[in-house]
Amino acid sequence: MTLSLVTDYTHGISAIDAQFHRPGRAAIHLIVENGKMALIDTGTTSSVSGVISVLKEKNLSVEDVDYIILTHIHLDHAGGASECMRCFPNAQLVVHPRGARHMADPEKLVTGAIAVYGETEFRRVYGEIHPIDKRRIVEAPDESRIELNGRPLLFIDTPGHARHHNCIFDEHSNAFFTGDTFGVSYRELDVNGMEFVFPTTTPVQFDPAAAHASLDRIMRYKPEYAFLTHYSRISHLHQHAENMHSLIDAHVEVARNAQSGLGSNDRFTTISCALQSLLLQRIREHGCRLSENDITALINSDIKLNTQGLEYWLDHTQ
Ligand SMILES: [Zn+2]
């Protein structure tokens, strides 16, 4: 499957590939409303030139980007925020109240990311992250709204993956922009138009009870579509919500089993192997015929991050 840099949907919504590690891994969503624009999530600093080239192709002006909206401040979503603020001079940054101060002063965020990824990998992938002028930052608490050229966007506080996570409801398209709250779903795993979705339990704020509650809260709006950062539009949300509930529980069970386990492997290996077999089994049941190697290549780094997040959760809350 080849994925181009931009995928256009209805209601002025497009997904722009953030070119994060591989094509089809992370999306930056663009909403255009009568010439004015909002971006939802930013990829990393090096993703922003791709966004600008897409705007040029569409004859849109960088001056007409009104909002840079962050679902949350993990750096595959927010790493490009300071570069966006530099390139889109009239934009305001809209972020969860718990994330705002880290955008104005990113030092803690950078330190945290280095702890997860290591210094060399961090510098290679994320580059430089600069402080953002506080006067351009808008905090979006639960149930707040902004208007993009008259088009209302509603912010819902959705902890579970992270405590600084908002999902954004766009009533014009009856769709939610869900960041990582509704899990990840790679288009390569689609089978006859049906998607496969699984949770992301990345460090350091995974909270299973909150993750379940946030899914239920999203579903109460009866959205037709969800736009995931990893990767873009999915439908069949009712079915995916059920699978997500089941897989969140299965992740927790894997972690608890490893904690009380008698295996000879270290805990990281025990958890990551169990997640690998869990997801492989579910992906096979879903009907995917890719080779085990191809599937592993797609989900391997998610399994590592999920394992790290579950270990952190075990050590700090159990
Ligand atoms: Zn995240």
Side-chain angles (χ1 to χ4, degrees):
M1 180 191 288
T2 50
L3 294 157
S4 64
L5 197 59
V6 62
T7 310
D8 293 323
Y9 302 99
T10 58
H11 297 91
I13 298 169
S14 303
I16 302 169
D17 199 306
Q19 307 171 79
F20 179 68
H21 294 302
R22 65 166 189 262
R25 176 84 190 272
I28 298 164
H29 286 103
L30 168 71
I31 308 177
V32 186
E33 182 67 23
N34 289 324
K36 293 291 186 180
M37 288 167 273
L39 293 173
I40 302 184
D41 287 339
T42 68
T44 65
T45 298
S46 57
S47 310
V48 180
S49 58
V51 175
I52 292 169
S53 69
V54 168
L55 298 193
K56 271 196 192 131
E57 274 169 39
K58 291 178 176 294
N59 281 320
L60 293 161
S61 159
V62 293
E63 320 262 314
D64 288 326
V65 177
D66 283 355
Y67 297 110
I68 307 296
I69 297 169
L70 303 178
T71 58
H72 63 304
I73 61 168
H74 286 161
L75 289 178
D76 47 333
H77 302 255
S82 63
E83 181 67 0
C84 281
M85 299 313 278
R86 195 179 70 80
C87 296
F88 307 124
N90 299 320
Q92 288 181 299
L93 184 78
V94 189
V95 58
H96 191 286
R98 287 179 188 273
R101 71 190 164 92
H102 298 294
M103 291 286 102
D105 177 10
E107 196 184 320
K108 246 182 130 177
L109 197 63
V110 170
T111 313
I114 289 174
V116 176
Y117 301 106
E119 173 100 39
T120 315
E121 175 72 357
F122 174 82
R123 294 291 168 207
R124 187 182 71 77
V125 175
Y126 298 100
E128 289 297 317
I129 291 176
H130 299 287
I132 293 169
D133 184 343
K134 275 183 190 159
R135 289 167 298 185
R136 296 181 70 190
I137 299 178
V138 178
E139 295 189 12
D142 189 36
E143 297 197 341
S144 59
R145 278 169 205 274
I146 58 170
E147 292 206 344
L148 173 65
N149 214 3
R151 176 173 175 166
L153 298 171
L154 171 68
F155 288 76
I156 303 293
D157 184 11
T158 54
H161 171 78
R163 285 197 294 269
H164 43 82
H165 201 304
N166 275 325
C167 289
I168 297 100
F169 184 57
D170 171 35
E171 63 185 53
H172 280 203
S173 60
N174 193 22
F176 255 102
F177 294 86
T178 56
D180 288 346
T181 298
F182 213 94
V184 306
S185 175
Y186 298 123
R187 301 282 57 79
E188 293 90 335
L189 297 175
D190 288 355
V191 177
N192 300 325
M194 177 54 81
E195 310 90 351
F196 179 78
V197 181
F198 63 102
T200 159
T201 65
T202 312
V204 294
Q205 296 179 339
F206 172 58
D207 176 346
H212 285 301
S214 289
L215 280 174
D216 289 340
R217 201 160 167 218
I218 288 169
M219 292 307 290
R220 279 204 285 277
Y221 288 81
K222 300 190 175 11
E224 190 176 359
Y225 297 111
F227 288 90
L228 283 53
T229 301
H230 317 282
Y231 187 92
S232 204
R233 195 176 78 170
I234 61 169
S235 46
H236 318 99
L237 297 191
H238 194 75
Q239 186 172 335
H240 293 316
E242 278 182 23
N243 289 337
M244 279 286 289
H245 282 304
S246 146
L247 276 170
I248 290 165
D249 289 340
H251 274 62
V252 166
E253 197 186 323
V254 161
R256 291 217 168 104
N257 288 344
Q259 189 73 331
S260 55
L262 307 162
S264 53
N265 288 323
D266 64 90
R267 192 176 64 178
F268 183 91
T269 310
T270 305
I271 294 176
S272 59
C273 289
L275 291 183
Q276 163 92 1
S277 17
L278 167 71
L279 291 175
L280 262 179
Q281 187 197 335
R282 296 288 183 100
I283 288 167
R284 288 298 181 216
E285 287 165 7
H286 158 70
C288 177
R289 292 175 182 275
L290 292 180
S291 73
E292 189 168 326
N293 278 347
D294 286 349
I295 295 171
T296 303
L298 284 168
I299 66 174
N300 192 33
S301 58
D302 293 298
I303 288 174
K304 272 192 195 154
L305 284 169
N306 280 7
T307 304
Q308 288 177 325
L310 290 172
E311 286 210 285
Y312 189 96
W313 174 74
L314 283 171
D315 289 340
H316 293 82
T317 62
Q318 295 302 292

